[in-house]
Amino acid sequence: MISNFKSFFFNFFKIENLFLIWLILLPFGSKLVSFSIGFMTIYPGLILTLILGIFSIKSMKNWNKFAWIFSVFLLVWLIYAISFVALNGINQMAIFDVRSLFMQLMYFIVFLNCFCLIKRDIFFRILKQGISCYFFILLFFGIFEFFNGIHFAGDTTAKLVNLPISNIFDAPLFLYDNANDYLLYLIFIYLLKVILTKELQENLYQRLFYLVIILIFTLYADSKLCKFLVISLISMEVVKYFISKKGLFKKNMPYLFSLFILGAIFFNSQIFYGPRYKNGINYRINGMHFIEKENSEYRVIDVKKKLNKKEQEEVINFLNWRENTNPNKSTGIRENLILNGTDFIKEKPILGIGPGNFRKRHDENKVKNYTGTVNSAHNFPLEIISQYGVFAWIYFAFLIWIFYQFLYLKFKKKNKSLDYIILFVLCIPVFWLIPSSYLYLDLNWMLIPLLFIFLHTKGNLSSDINDKILY
């Protein structure tokens, strides 16, 4: 019995099993059996990250120069952040940023060391399983939320209680308590799943099926950037399909001719564009009511029936003016965040204003442009350039270098297996603008190590390759 227990124990703690469990735990983050120790939250995923990092440290001897250079850069970046906090005073926001930089370093170590220790075919099979589980959980619970309007309680759901019922009530949130964050995760993990799954790369209908579901979620969440991203991905898939099928145009001539006739009729007919595209402000008082009390009885009165045409226009113009001058309006806030971030960069262009200080200064109202209660950058380049200066520029230089290598392999070596990896990299600048803050997301932490592994394998993720060394 003891020998069986020892066998189970050692098999369970094999690096392959720990890596798979770690990947499966990623979607749940600190929401799973977590507890606070003051300056940070302890949770299973964090513990497993530390265990994998320690257990696999011996494999760092197999790293190549780039891996060492980038890991040293991440370490120096972390040391700078810790030193800044030690010299300038500790606060929760600074600690939160330091933790993010620490996890960024640990994710790089874990991914690369696991890649070195596990045979390449097994590594990619486990990575594919983990990412597929991640995507399944996001999609499954997203569909559940969409059809039922049931969400995990949080700040967003607390705000929904006081809003009129609309599509936003059915937009998925998952554990992120934010529709934009959920959509970012879903699109990011979807693209990784396509990169890692050859069968999915060869199945256009399945890819379009997933993208259409994600598009519906973006429409309900009214996320402009995510809508743009998903529509671009769908358009790319359709155009790519038509280009690849040389005889498709001739074969589908009757359908294309039918579409041409439909288009001609559309543009030669009187069209109702609806509030999304034309005169949206005129719909503001539709369905608006007020209540009158008469002889102990309440009457619900339609505003449009009570007001004459001129009064209706005055009310509409007033509501429009109030929205456009509202300091909490999203577009105005983003503009002011950019202006404030630019001021921070001008103030300290070399080393930045330090970890956590973008949010801290907004909370303390030490900014020129008002942003209401919003204190996060909503712009990753602005977030890290303003706080870390030269470290941010070096980080982006590494990313540009990796992207250049992918392009070189694609066009000089005619490597078709890199198509979706390059598409993934092209989406990254849009990813940076979607969440309120990007530095603390595990998507950010896993980005560089995964790109580096894809680059090392030249996009060839097939299971017939057993080379596992990075040099």
Short mmCIF file of all heavy atoms in Angstrom, two decimals, residues 137-161:
data_model
loop_
_atom_site.label_atom_id
_atom_site.label_comp_id
_atom_site.label_asym_id
_atom_site.label_seq_id
_atom_site.Cartn_x
_atom_site.Cartn_y
_atom_site.Cartn_z
N ILE A 137 -14.33 26.74 -20.86
CA ILE A 137 -14.91 27.35 -19.66
C ILE A 137 -15.46 28.75 -19.97
O ILE A 137 -16.58 29.10 -19.59
CB ILE A 137 -13.84 27.45 -18.54
CG1 ILE A 137 -13.54 26.06 -17.98
CG2 ILE A 137 -14.30 28.37 -17.42
CD1 ILE A 137 -14.68 25.40 -17.26
N LEU A 138 -14.68 29.55 -20.69
CA LEU A 138 -15.12 30.90 -21.04
C LEU A 138 -16.38 30.87 -21.91
O LEU A 138 -17.33 31.61 -21.67
CB LEU A 138 -14.00 31.65 -21.77
CG LEU A 138 -12.76 32.03 -20.97
CD1 LEU A 138 -11.71 32.64 -21.88
CD2 LEU A 138 -13.10 32.99 -19.84
N LEU A 139 -16.36 30.01 -22.93
CA LEU A 139 -17.48 29.95 -23.86
C LEU A 139 -18.72 29.36 -23.19
O LEU A 139 -19.84 29.88 -23.35
CB LEU A 139 -17.09 29.11 -25.09
CG LEU A 139 -18.01 29.22 -26.31
CD1 LEU A 139 -18.00 30.65 -26.86
CD2 LEU A 139 -17.59 28.24 -27.38
N PHE A 140 -18.53 28.29 -22.44
CA PHE A 140 -19.66 27.62 -21.77
C PHE A 140 -20.37 28.57 -20.81
O PHE A 140 -21.59 28.74 -20.86
CB PHE A 140 -19.16 26.37 -21.02
CG PHE A 140 -20.22 25.72 -20.17
CD1 PHE A 140 -21.14 24.85 -20.74
CD2 PHE A 140 -20.30 25.98 -18.81
CE1 PHE A 140 -22.12 24.24 -19.96
CE2 PHE A 140 -21.27 25.39 -18.02
CZ PHE A 140 -22.18 24.52 -18.60
N PHE A 141 -19.60 29.21 -19.94
CA PHE A 141 -20.25 30.09 -18.96
C PHE A 141 -20.76 31.37 -19.62
O PHE A 141 -21.76 31.93 -19.18
CB PHE A 141 -19.28 30.43 -17.82
CG PHE A 141 -19.99 30.91 -16.59
CD1 PHE A 141 -20.61 30.01 -15.74
CD2 PHE A 141 -20.07 32.26 -16.29
CE1 PHE A 141 -21.30 30.44 -14.61
CE2 PHE A 141 -20.75 32.71 -15.16
CZ PHE A 141 -21.37 31.79 -14.31
N GLY A 142 -20.09 31.80 -20.70
CA GLY A 142 -20.58 32.96 -21.43
C GLY A 142 -21.95 32.71 -22.04
O GLY A 142 -22.84 33.57 -21.97
N ILE A 143 -22.14 31.52 -22.62
CA ILE A 143 -23.44 31.16 -23.19
C ILE A 143 -24.49 31.05 -22.08
O ILE A 143 -25.64 31.49 -22.24
CB ILE A 143 -23.33 29.84 -23.98
CG1 ILE A 143 -22.45 30.05 -25.23
CG2 ILE A 143 -24.70 29.31 -24.38
CD1 ILE A 143 -22.10 28.79 -25.97
N PHE A 144 -24.09 30.47 -20.94
CA PHE A 144 -25.00 30.36 -19.79
C PHE A 144 -25.46 31.75 -19.34
O PHE A 144 -26.66 31.99 -19.13
CB PHE A 144 -24.29 29.63 -18.65
CG PHE A 144 -25.06 29.64 -17.36
CD1 PHE A 144 -26.09 28.75 -17.13
CD2 PHE A 144 -24.73 30.56 -16.35
CE1 PHE A 144 -26.81 28.77 -15.94
CE2 PHE A 144 -25.44 30.58 -15.16
CZ PHE A 144 -26.47 29.68 -14.95
N GLU A 145 -24.53 32.69 -19.19
CA GLU A 145 -24.87 34.05 -18.77
C GLU A 145 -25.74 34.75 -19.81
O GLU A 145 -26.69 35.47 -19.47
CB GLU A 145 -23.60 34.87 -18.55
CG GLU A 145 -22.77 34.47 -17.35
CD GLU A 145 -21.54 35.33 -17.20
OE1 GLU A 145 -20.51 35.01 -17.85
OE2 GLU A 145 -21.58 36.32 -16.46
N PHE A 146 -25.43 34.53 -21.08
CA PHE A 146 -26.14 35.19 -22.16
C PHE A 146 -27.61 34.79 -22.18
O PHE A 146 -28.50 35.64 -22.34
CB PHE A 146 -25.48 34.84 -23.50
CG PHE A 146 -26.19 35.40 -24.70
CD1 PHE A 146 -26.07 36.74 -25.02
CD2 PHE A 146 -26.97 34.58 -25.50
CE1 PHE A 146 -26.73 37.26 -26.13
CE2 PHE A 146 -27.62 35.09 -26.60
CZ PHE A 146 -27.50 36.43 -26.92
N PHE A 147 -27.89 33.52 -21.99
CA PHE A 147 -29.28 33.04 -22.07
C PHE A 147 -30.05 33.23 -20.77
O PHE A 147 -31.28 33.29 -20.79
CB PHE A 147 -29.31 31.57 -22.47
CG PHE A 147 -29.12 31.35 -23.95
CD1 PHE A 147 -27.95 30.81 -24.45
CD2 PHE A 147 -30.12 31.71 -24.85
CE1 PHE A 147 -27.77 30.63 -25.81
CE2 PHE A 147 -29.95 31.53 -26.22
CZ PHE A 147 -28.77 30.99 -26.70
N ASN A 148 -29.35 33.32 -19.63
CA ASN A 148 -30.05 33.39 -18.35
C ASN A 148 -29.94 34.74 -17.66
O ASN A 148 -30.74 35.04 -16.77
CB ASN A 148 -29.51 32.31 -17.39
CG ASN A 148 -29.84 30.91 -17.87
OD1 ASN A 148 -30.97 30.47 -17.77
ND2 ASN A 148 -28.84 30.22 -18.42
N GLY A 149 -28.93 35.53 -18.04
CA GLY A 149 -28.72 36.81 -17.36
C GLY A 149 -28.23 36.64 -15.94
O GLY A 149 -28.30 37.57 -15.13
N ILE A 150 -27.73 35.45 -15.60
CA ILE A 150 -27.20 35.17 -14.26
C ILE A 150 -25.69 35.37 -14.28
O ILE A 150 -24.99 34.83 -15.15
CB ILE A 150 -27.54 33.73 -13.82
CG1 ILE A 150 -29.06 33.55 -13.76
CG2 ILE A 150 -26.90 33.39 -12.49
CD1 ILE A 150 -29.49 32.11 -13.50
N HIS A 151 -25.17 36.15 -13.32
CA HIS A 151 -23.74 36.46 -13.27
C HIS A 151 -23.22 36.26 -11.86
O HIS A 151 -23.99 36.25 -10.89
CB HIS A 151 -23.48 37.91 -13.68
CG HIS A 151 -24.15 38.33 -14.95
ND1 HIS A 151 -23.69 37.95 -16.18
CD2 HIS A 151 -25.24 39.11 -15.18
CE1 HIS A 151 -24.46 38.48 -17.13
NE2 HIS A 151 -25.41 39.17 -16.54
N PHE A 152 -21.91 36.11 -11.74
CA PHE A 152 -21.28 36.20 -10.43
C PHE A 152 -21.43 37.63 -9.94
O PHE A 152 -21.19 38.58 -10.68
CB PHE A 152 -19.80 35.82 -10.50
CG PHE A 152 -19.55 34.36 -10.78
CD1 PHE A 152 -18.97 33.95 -11.97
CD2 PHE A 152 -19.89 33.39 -9.84
CE1 PHE A 152 -18.74 32.61 -12.24
CE2 PHE A 152 -19.67 32.05 -10.09
CZ PHE A 152 -19.09 31.65 -11.30
N ALA A 153 -21.80 37.79 -8.67
CA ALA A 153 -22.03 39.13 -8.13
C ALA A 153 -20.72 39.90 -8.03
O ALA A 153 -19.66 39.33 -7.74
CB ALA A 153 -22.69 39.04 -6.75
N GLY A 154 -20.79 41.20 -8.29
CA GLY A 154 -19.61 42.05 -8.22
C GLY A 154 -20.00 43.51 -8.39
O GLY A 154 -21.18 43.87 -8.31
N ASP A 155 -19.02 44.35 -8.65
CA ASP A 155 -19.28 45.79 -8.82
C ASP A 155 -20.19 46.05 -10.00
O ASP A 155 -21.06 46.93 -9.95
CB ASP A 155 -17.96 46.55 -9.00
CG ASP A 155 -17.12 46.54 -7.73
OD1 ASP A 155 -17.70 46.35 -6.65
OD2 ASP A 155 -15.88 46.72 -7.82
N THR A 156 -19.99 45.31 -11.10
CA THR A 156 -20.82 45.53 -12.29
C THR A 156 -22.27 45.18 -12.03
O THR A 156 -23.18 45.94 -12.40
CB THR A 156 -20.28 44.69 -13.47
OG1 THR A 156 -18.95 45.12 -13.77
CG2 THR A 156 -21.15 44.88 -14.70
N THR A 157 -22.51 44.04 -11.40
CA THR A 157 -23.90 43.65 -11.13
C THR A 157 -24.55 44.61 -10.13
O THR A 157 -25.76 44.84 -10.18
CB THR A 157 -23.97 42.21 -10.59
OG1 THR A 157 -23.10 42.08 -9.45
CG2 THR A 157 -23.55 41.21 -11.65
N ALA A 158 -23.76 45.19 -9.22
CA ALA A 158 -24.30 46.19 -8.28
C ALA A 158 -24.78 47.43 -9.04
O ALA A 158 -25.78 48.05 -8.67
CB ALA A 158 -23.24 46.56 -7.26
N LYS A 159 -24.07 47.79 -10.12
CA LYS A 159 -24.49 48.93 -10.94
C LYS A 159 -25.71 48.59 -11.78
O LYS A 159 -26.57 49.45 -12.02
CB LYS A 159 -23.34 49.37 -11.85
CG LYS A 159 -22.14 49.94 -11.10
CD LYS A 159 -20.99 50.23 -12.06
CE LYS A 159 -19.76 50.71 -11.31
NZ LYS A 159 -18.60 50.91 -12.22
N LEU A 160 -25.80 47.34 -12.24
CA LEU A 160 -26.92 46.94 -13.09
C LEU A 160 -28.27 47.08 -12.38
O LEU A 160 -29.29 47.34 -13.02
CB LEU A 160 -26.74 45.48 -13.55
CG LEU A 160 -25.60 45.20 -14.54
CD1 LEU A 160 -25.53 43.71 -14.85
CD2 LEU A 160 -25.78 45.99 -15.83
N VAL A 161 -28.26 46.91 -11.07
CA VAL A 161 -29.50 46.98 -10.30
C VAL A 161 -30.21 48.32 -10.50
O VAL A 161 -31.44 48.40 -10.48
CB VAL A 161 -29.20 46.76 -8.79
CG1 VAL A 161 -30.44 47.00 -7.95
CG2 VAL A 161 -28.68 45.35 -8.57
#
